[in-house]
Amino acid sequence: MKELIKNLTETYGPSGSETRVRQLIEEEVRALSDQVRVDSMGNLMALKKGDGSGRKVMLAAHMDEIGVIVTHVDQKGFLRFGAVGGLRPLVLIGSRVLFANGVTGTIGVEKLDSPNKVPPLDKLYIDVGAVSKDALSVGVGDAACFVRPFVDQGNRLTAKAFDDRIGCAILIQTLRTLIDTPHDVYFVFTVQEEVGLRGARTSAYGVDPDVGIAVDVTTTGDTPEAHPMAVSLGNGPAIKVKDSGMLTHPGVKNLLIDTAERLGLPYQIEVLERGTTDGYAMQVSRAGVPTGVISIATRYVHTPSEMIDYNDVLNSVKLLAGLLSNLIELA
Amino acid sequence: MLLERLSNAFGPSGCEEEVRDIILDAIKDDIDEHRVDALGNLIALRKARGSSLKGFPRRVMVAAHMDEVGLMITHIEKEGWLRFARVGGVDARVLLAKAVVIGDKRVPGVIGIKPIHLMREDERTKMPRIEDLYIDTGSSDRSQAEKLVKVGDYAVFSTRFAAVKESPLRAVKGKAFDDRVGCAVLAELLKQDYAFDLYATFTTQEEVGLRGAQVAAYAVDPDVAFALEGTICDDMPRKRDVSPGTRMGQGPAITIMDRSVIVDKRLVKLLLQSADKLEIPHQFKQSVTGGTDAGAIHLAREGIPAAVVSVPSRYIHSPVCMLSLSDLEHTVTLMDEALHRLEGGLPE
């Protein structure tokens, strides 16, 4: 599974430019699914049919990652940019970004009036090594994402875009391991989560599921002087209770907890103070969908180097596959 | 000129009747059906004409919003001053010493400011707070003011539309070009024949959160959609070589991404092909700020490919905007060509 994770994280895919990630995933899921389709927003939906005795379940993980988009090219060929998703200038300076056509840029910063203060985004620029404006092969409207190789540190893995390629990997691996299920399971790989859960909103409308489960990353409280949070790397899949967009349906939350207990899997409970996931969009789709979220504890979210624990990933696959193998009764 | 009548009309978010009446009067001979929905959107249908299609798209929605930013009276002081809140994004600095009209009776008023003679040094450099401002209707107490206005009345700037004489860019000035210029472009498009049903949708309440477009898109359920806008133009002289947003006089602005939408890449391509074919000057909107009706439309139901085309407008959301009539005409030409190209489907 590490090979899959490496390929997914190293692929280019800022919000709105998910084509390559989608192609990669489509190759993985096509042979394993009964039906695959791409909707008008670009969401990839792979259906594994049940035996008719179960429910319609939608699993969602988003394909897109945060990035930058060029808004202006100056006379010397430096690029000004806007944020695609939640970018913090603090982690940008000195970072490298990659455009769809393979051009790499370095993020630089103007001379600052107050060097000790974090500069706003409009003081930063991208330097693609241009010697003049004319020779550029990137321009206004082109999006770029971080460049970083996947690093396997044993139990711990570091890469860009674990948010949410690790969710995509977990969905793919679940589909690989799921032999029989009573449910019609829609494995939905969504677009544009980072700019407002947009793909999940339209795909949830399209699928119209009975139950929804999103798989995404969450922050942790296990680093030096971190904001207090009872989520740590390696403590198991995090079962969400609340974030800033949703309160988890208690029936789905209990189903996740009961399944973990039944299978003897470690798990932890997540309360996220800031941020939300595709689960929010699914929950409020149409007349409402009972929805839960499995989160992967992730350090340094929205930086070029996010870190996770591999056992959390493996246990999340077991949890999902276990849940989908049985009938679902929501209390 | 339709733009003149639209610009002069009174139409803050939630109070679009006057604008809607003007539009309906202007388009009535060009449409087959129309209706006004529960939120006040005017949904006008010009049915498919001429050659039949390959089958896609059958329904195309083009939207422009009727509402403008404005003010709403919240309280009448015992001295007769009117306190107010903003409706949509209004910068407090542009309000000082401006003439407005208020309510159904279109009562004139002035937003007061202390004369410069009496201002302390620190007052001259301080940003005013909305809650400290008031509208003066020339009344001497609350009971007099209450005969003219009531709490809940809207106010808009009282600017009259005019041509900027001798302007090489063929500039005009007026209020509410965001988005009466979009409405004017859309009315022109209704005079053309297309091989699909064209739903010209004049929306309400865009400035307070794309509300009209959200329900209109659900109802129309189009295959493809466009939003027409009067957008941010920030091309004033400056020292730093940074983004101008758009530039007035350089043609329609095509959006790639803003706060509300990442535009469908096939539609960007369609627009660029259209512009290239007819050699229409055009530009990209060089900023990711602002939202448009396309933000609500593209998320309707299962998702709808949507694009945004804008007429660059300087000083939007202020008492007086400026735009180039050449940009307006080029926007009509670009959209007409793009809609004809769309008859053959979306580009790959």
Side-chain angles (χ1 to χ4, degrees), chain A residues 212-247:
Chain A
I213 296 174
V215 183
D216 206 336
V217 304
T218 190
T219 53
T220 68
D222 64 350
T223 51
E225 303 297 321
H227 182 77
M229 184 174 176
V231 171
S232 302
L233 260 56
N235 281 7
I239 296 168
K240 191 186 294 287
V241 175
K242 176 188 183 298
D243 65 21
S244 54
M246 74 184 287
L247 294 155

Side-chain angles (χ1 to χ4, degrees), chain B residues 257-275:
Chain B
M257 171 181 164
D258 66 22
R259 197 169 42 72
S260 68
V261 67
I262 295 173
V263 172
D264 189 287
K265 288 180 168 55
R266 296 165 296 182
L267 287 174
V268 172
K269 195 170 172 184
L270 179 94
L271 288 162
L272 292 175
Q273 286 170 345
S274 307

Side-chain angles (χ1 to χ4, degrees), chain A residues 62-215:
Chain A
H62 66 89
M63 298 187 286
D64 62 314
E65 66 188 293
I66 56 167
V68 296
I69 186 165
V70 177
T71 54
H72 182 66
V73 182
D74 77 12
Q75 287 306 319
K76 291 177 175 166
F78 294 102
L79 314 173
R80 299 288 175 163
F81 61 93
V84 178
L87 270 189
R88 284 166 299 164
L90 187 64
V91 305
L92 286 179
I93 299 163
S95 287
R96 292 186 205 169
V97 294
L98 176 73
F99 289 90
N101 64 357
V103 168
T104 304
T106 299
I107 296 182
V109 60
E110 298 175 12
K111 182 177 77 68
L112 298 171
D113 299 331
S114 337
N116 297 324
K117 274 209 283 195
V118 177
L121 216 55
D122 65 4
K123 295 280 187 191
L124 309 185
Y125 55 84
I126 301 169
D127 183 346
V128 292
V131 289
S132 82
K133 186 181 178 177
D134 308 322
L136 277 181
S137 60
V138 289
V140 172
D142 287 328
C145 64
F146 290 129
V147 204
R148 283 295 165 111
F150 170 84
V151 181
D152 181 355
Q153 295 153 304
N155 280 345
R156 301 284 158 92
L157 311 175
T158 301
K160 76 161 176 75
F162 273 139
D163 178 7
D164 184 30
R165 303 290 159 70
I166 198 60
C168 297
I170 289 167
L171 258 57
I172 294 167
Q173 191 68 18
T174 303
L175 181 60
R176 284 172 175 173
T177 56
L178 190 65
I179 313 294
D180 288 311
T181 173
H183 311 291
D184 283 350
V185 188
Y186 287 82
F187 294 78
V188 182
F189 301 88
T190 64
V191 296
Q192 301 190 28
E193 191 269 357
E194 297 290 358
V195 291
L197 322 178
R198 295 180 191 160
R201 182 162 150 188
T202 59
S203 58
Y205 183 94
V207 172
D208 194 13
D210 301 318
V211 180
I213 296 174
V215 183

Side-chain angles (χ1 to χ4, degrees), chain B residues 26-253:
Chain B
I27 66 173
K28 62 180 185 299
D29 296 333
D30 300 319
I31 58 178
D32 298 301
E33 294 170 18
H34 79 275
R35 65 194 172 88
V36 176
D37 73 9
L39 265 75
N41 295 300
L42 170 60
I43 302 175
L45 167 61
R46 183 175 169 90
K47 285 188 177 161
R49 283 162 167 78
S51 59
S52 68
L53 281 177
K54 289 172 186 167
F56 181 93
R58 289 183 188 283
R59 279 195 301 279
V60 175
M61 173 174 176
V62 183
H65 67 90
M66 298 186 286
D67 62 314
E68 66 189 295
V69 295
L71 310 172
M72 183 179 278
I73 310 304
T74 53
H75 176 69
I76 303 175
E77 301 279 7
K78 65 178 187 303
E79 300 84 358
W81 312 124
L82 315 181
R83 299 292 183 185
F84 57 87
R86 285 175 275 204
V87 178
V90 184
D91 179 352
R93 291 173 303 177
V94 308
L95 291 174
L96 299 172
K98 295 304 184 307
V100 297
V101 285
I102 313 151
D104 297 339
K105 288 185 268 185
R106 308 293 190 252
V107 173
V110 170
I111 299 172
I113 181 176
K114 196 192 265 190
I116 190 168
H117 318 69
L118 305 177
M119 249 183 220
R120 296 191 314 269
E121 193 60 38
D122 63 317
E123 285 177 321
R124 289 184 198 182
T125 54
K126 226 169 78 180
M127 173 101 166
R129 297 187 312 165
I130 287 282
E131 50 271 36
D132 296 333
L133 302 179
Y134 59 89
I135 298 171
D136 177 355
T137 54
S139 304
S140 52
D141 60 33
R142 182 182 288 150
S143 67
Q144 286 183 356
E146 278 174 346
K147 292 195 177 77
L148 302 171
V149 299
K150 56 187 186 301
V151 169
D153 278 355
Y154 287 99
V156 300
F157 299 117
S158 67
T159 316
R160 304 302 289 179
F161 178 93
V164 182
K165 278 192 186 133
E166 312 290 337
S167 156
L169 292 173
R170 299 174 60 218
V172 293
K173 63 191 173 80
K175 73 169 174 68
F177 287 170
D178 174 8
D179 183 29
R180 304 291 158 73
V181 69
C183 296
V185 171
L186 183 48
E188 278 303 307
L189 294 173
L190 280 170
K191 294 174 181 157
Q192 309 301 321
D193 292 342
Y194 303 106
F196 43 71
D197 287 348
L198 176 63
Y199 285 84
T201 309
F202 299 90
T203 64
T204 57
Q205 302 191 30
E206 192 268 357
E207 296 291 357
V208 290
L210 322 180
R211 296 179 194 162
Q214 185 180 338
V215 300
Y218 182 91
V220 172
D221 192 15
D223 299 315
V224 177
F226 294 86
L228 302 176
E229 266 289 356
T231 200
I232 311 158
C233 182
D234 184 29
D235 57 352
M236 291 77 101
R238 68 179 103 214
K239 278 193 235 156
R240 281 158 55 88
D241 185 358
V242 293
S243 171
T246 62
R247 291 184 178 88
M248 188 172 115
Q250 309 254 313

